[in-house]
């Protein structure tokens, strides 16, 4: 179990502990490998997969370019359909809006589904302070909640737990003493527990996969049907949606409803696709509230390179191929958005003054696997490198003279100066060729002194050759 305190450690501080948890690595490795293999099959069936990815990226790029226009259009469309729209600058404002709406209904319980955005703002804690219990109804989220744990995956929050662990949890928390660890039995136990909650719920809270500016329609896609229960049975429905989740028109679903299921659950189509537009008399919730959440997204939008992060459709494909995530799990990131997408989203949302968030862009090998599978072609490695540069610049600005006299900073400055001039670069090569003789052994450099030792701690370096390409070329011309 992970306890999130006022201070979250950096990724480097957390990773070692999770790396030593062999059961955790086994659970996550098994799950991610299975999803990867299934995804490959359903993606390979699509002859136009790359065209779909390009279309998804283009739609999202257009949305980001005209986000102000689409947000106002969405607000107008939702109001026309009988819904209410609320604007929230940050987590505190969003929580105040939602808590006030729930308190107006004089209830002590609400049901929730597809709510990673509400995890971002810690809505459950805000409700609990007012004596209101929020029940997670997504099976994996329910497992995490019953265990008093934290999610470790965007799509499968309980990916770090195996069937035996879930069985013991249900035996303890749900009183299911004779329960087996068969998936169907575990699902049936959760279904029996949740059904009564759904039938008595007066207020439902959901997230959103998409919001359609043209029609005001909100969409939730899922695999269990709990989302359908949560968005249709309560009298009041409150949806919390990040402002980046907009798509311009209904026809854009043609692209995203092919990209999302194949990239997330490795299915051709999600078993449950729920769409609702405002309110309809006598059918479903009679009161609908849409809370549009910024919470740092405008800052991300202002960064020309970083803004592509907002294209994310939360499929989690990048987590399932990431070698770092597979070995550490999601808890090491100390964010509701773990893995590669969390490594670029979290520091932009929380700011670079947050040491834990600022460590995440370094939680990557830059192998590029995340970019290859992203359904909307977010160039995650490019954003990671961009953020690393911003972090260095930020440290310079707050470190002042001390930072400028740091040996690493001086060394990088000298290298940058050498790389700007061919003559300086060649002169440096000659000096290094002479100096390396003191560190060479059996034709390799296996140990460097001082801070340079970090380069050789995990690898041997090849020495600079006796003749460079330019030297060879000049001799060839003579």
């Amino acid at each position: 179990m992970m306890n999130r305190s006022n201070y979250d450690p950096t990724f480097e501080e957390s990773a070692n502990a999770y790396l030593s948890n062999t059961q955790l690595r086994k659970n996550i490795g098994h799950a991610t490998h299975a999803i990867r293999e299934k995804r490959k099959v359903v993606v390979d069936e699509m002859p136009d997969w790359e065209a779909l990815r390009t279309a998804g990226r283009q739609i999202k790029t257009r949305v980001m370019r005209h986000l102000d226009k689409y947000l106002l259009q969405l607000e107008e469309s939702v109001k026309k359909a009988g819904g209410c729209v609320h604007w929230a600058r940050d987590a505190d404002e969003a929580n105040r809006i939602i808590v006030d709406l729930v308190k107006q209904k004089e209830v002590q319980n609400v049901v929730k589904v597809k709510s990673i955005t509400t995890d971002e703002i810690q809505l459950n804690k805000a409700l609990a302070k007012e004596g209101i219990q929020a029940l997670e109804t997504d099976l994996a989220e329910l497992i995490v909640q019953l265990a008093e744990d934290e999610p470790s995956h965007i799509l499968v929050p309980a990916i770090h737990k195996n069937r035996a662990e879930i069985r013991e949890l249900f035996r303890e928390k749900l009183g299911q003493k004779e329960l087996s660890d068969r998936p169907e039995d575990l699902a049936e136990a959760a279904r029996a527990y949740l059904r009564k909650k759904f039938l008595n719920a007066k207020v439902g809270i959901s997230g959103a996969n998409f919001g359609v500016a043209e029609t005001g329609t909100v969409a939730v896609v899922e695999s269990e049907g709990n989302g359908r229960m949560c968005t249709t049975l309560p009298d009041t429905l409150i949806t919390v949606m990040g402002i980046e989740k907009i798509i311009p028109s209904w026809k854009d679903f043609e692209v995203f409803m092919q990209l999302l299921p194949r990239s997330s659950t490795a299915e051709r189509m999600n078993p449950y696709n729920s769409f609702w537009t405002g309110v309809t008399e006598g059918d479903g919730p009679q009161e609908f509230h849409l809370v549009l959440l910024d919470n740092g997204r405008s800052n991300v939008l202002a960064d020309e390179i970083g803004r592509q992060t907002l294209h994310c459709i939360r499929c989690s494909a990048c987590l399932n191929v990431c070698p770092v995530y597979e070995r550490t799990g999601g808890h090491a990131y100390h964010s509701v958005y773990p893995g590669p997408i969390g490594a670029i989203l979290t520091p932009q949302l929380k700011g670079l003054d947050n040491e834990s968030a600022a460590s995440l862009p370094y939680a990557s090998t830059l192998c590029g696997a995340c970019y290859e599978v992203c359904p909307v072609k977010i160039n995650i490695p490019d954003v990671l490198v961009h953020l690393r540069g911003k972090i260095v610049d930020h440290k310079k600005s707050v470190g002042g003279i001390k930072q400028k006299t740091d040996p690493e900073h001086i060394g990088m400055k000298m290298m940058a100066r050498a790389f700007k001039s061919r003559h300086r670069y060649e002169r440096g090569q000659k000096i290094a060729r002479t100096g390396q003789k003191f560190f060479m052994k059996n034709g390799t450099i296996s140990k460097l002194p001082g801070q340079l030792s970090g380069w050789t701690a995990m690898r041997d370096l090849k020495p600079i050759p006796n003749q460079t390409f330019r030297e060879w070329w000049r001799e060839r011309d003579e």
Side-chain angles (χ1 to χ4, degrees), residues 187-249:
E188 180 59 33
R191 185 180 296 113
Y193 172 72
L194 290 172
R195 187 56 56 93
K196 294 178 182 178
K197 306 292 184 179
F198 282 130
L199 293 175
N200 294 322
K202 300 300 181 184
V203 177
I205 298 176
S206 83
N209 289 103
F210 305 101
V212 185
E214 176 186 58
T215 62
T217 304
V218 177
V220 162
V221 299
E222 37 119 11
S223 299
E224 301 165 12
N226 293 341
R228 182 74 54 81
M229 303 282 279
C230 187
T231 59
T232 58
L233 290 179
D235 299 325
T236 300
L237 174 60
I238 303 169
T239 295
V240 185
M241 188 180 91
I243 57 175
E244 81 280 15
K245 293 295 187 71
I246 290 181
I247 58 176
S249 63

Side-chain angles (χ1 to χ4, degrees), residues 71 85 186 208 210 243 255 257 270 279 281 310-311 360 383-384 432 434 439 449:
L71 283 170
V85 176
L186 295 174
F210 305 101
I243 57 175
V255 172
M257 296 304 283
N270 290 98
V279 296
E281 187 176 353
L310 298 178
H311 295 181
L360 295 182
V383 180
L384 285 168
T434 302
F439 308 105

Side-chain angles (χ1 to χ4, degrees), residues 86-203:
H86 309 265
W87 299 80
R89 298 179 186 85
D90 53 28
D92 289 340
E93 187 168 11
N95 286 334
R96 283 198 302 272
I97 292 168
I98 299 165
V99 168
D100 287 346
L101 289 172
V102 175
K103 288 173 68 176
Q104 289 173 18
K105 303 305 172 184
E106 299 181 344
V107 296
Q108 280 72 52
N109 300 279
V110 299
V111 289
K112 292 176 62 210
V113 77
K114 296 292 288 186
S115 55
I116 191 170
T117 308
T118 65
D119 291 340
E120 176 190 328
I121 63 176
Q122 299 188 30
L123 175 61
N124 287 9
K125 290 183 179 179
L127 289 168
K129 287 181 180 179
E130 299 296 329
I132 301 165
Q133 181 190 22
L135 176 67
E136 301 291 351
T137 63
D138 177 271
L139 178 56
E141 289 279 5
L142 174 64
I143 292 167
V144 169
Q145 186 177 47
L146 290 175
E148 299 180 12
D149 202 348
E150 296 282 351
S152 63
H153 192 277
I154 291 175
L155 184 72
V156 193
I159 196 172
H160 54 289
K161 293 187 177 295
N162 59 32
R163 290 186 296 173
E165 292 170 319
I166 296 169
R167 176 192 61 196
E168 293 307 313
L169 177 67
F170 280 8
R171 282 178 172 179
E172 177 188 352
K173 299 292 186 177
L174 304 185
Q176 300 279 348
K177 302 302 182 184
E178 304 301 322
L179 187 63
S180 77
D181 67 353
R182 295 170 64 225
E184 51 267 46
D185 291 340
L186 295 174
E188 180 59 33
R191 185 180 296 113
Y193 172 72
L194 290 172
R195 187 56 56 93
K196 294 178 182 178
K197 306 292 184 179
F198 282 130
L199 293 175
N200 294 322
K202 300 300 181 184
V203 177

Side-chain angles (χ1 to χ4, degrees), residues 403-423:
Q403 179 68 27
K404 292 180 180 180
T405 58
D406 178 76
E408 182 180 5
H409 178 71
I410 294 172
M412 288 299 177
K413 283 288 188 183
M414 291 173 64
M415 289 180 65
R417 187 170 183 273
F419 288 153
K420 288 179 180 179
S421 166
R422 180 170 65 86
H423 297 294

Side-chain angles (χ1 to χ4, degrees), residues 318-439:
C318 61
L319 280 72
N320 299 327
V321 299
C322 178
V324 176
Y325 173 85
E326 183 178 320
R327 286 158 179 79
T328 64
H331 289 162
Y333 294 79
H334 294 281
S335 168
V336 296
Y337 303 111
I341 189 61
I344 62 174
L345 179 60
T346 303
Q348 293 189 84
L349 292 181
K350 291 188 175 182
L352 302 183
D353 286 323
N354 184 304
E355 288 189 30
S356 178
S359 72
L360 295 182
Y362 297 93
S364 172
T365 64
L366 301 179
C367 68
C370 49
Y371 181 31
E372 293 298 320
V373 299
C374 178
V376 289
K377 293 188 175 182
I378 301 172
N379 193 336
I380 295 177
D382 190 37
V383 180
L384 285 168
V385 173
H386 170 66
L387 290 176
R388 290 179 185 185
K390 290 187 68 172
I391 291 166
V392 171
D393 290 341
H394 182 72
K395 287 181 178 178
K396 288 181 193 176
S397 66
V398 299
I401 296 174
K402 182 180 179 181
Q403 179 68 27
K404 292 180 180 180
T405 58
D406 178 76
E408 182 180 5
H409 178 71
I410 294 172
M412 288 299 177
K413 283 288 188 183
M414 291 173 64
M415 289 180 65
R417 187 170 183 273
F419 288 153
K420 288 179 180 179
S421 166
R422 180 170 65 86
H423 297 294
R424 283 197 294 264
Y425 179 70
E426 290 183 346
R427 194 182 312 124
Q429 282 181 313
K430 291 179 180 179
I431 295 172
R433 190 183 297 153
T434 302
Q436 72 183 2
K437 294 176 182 178
F438 298 101
F439 308 105

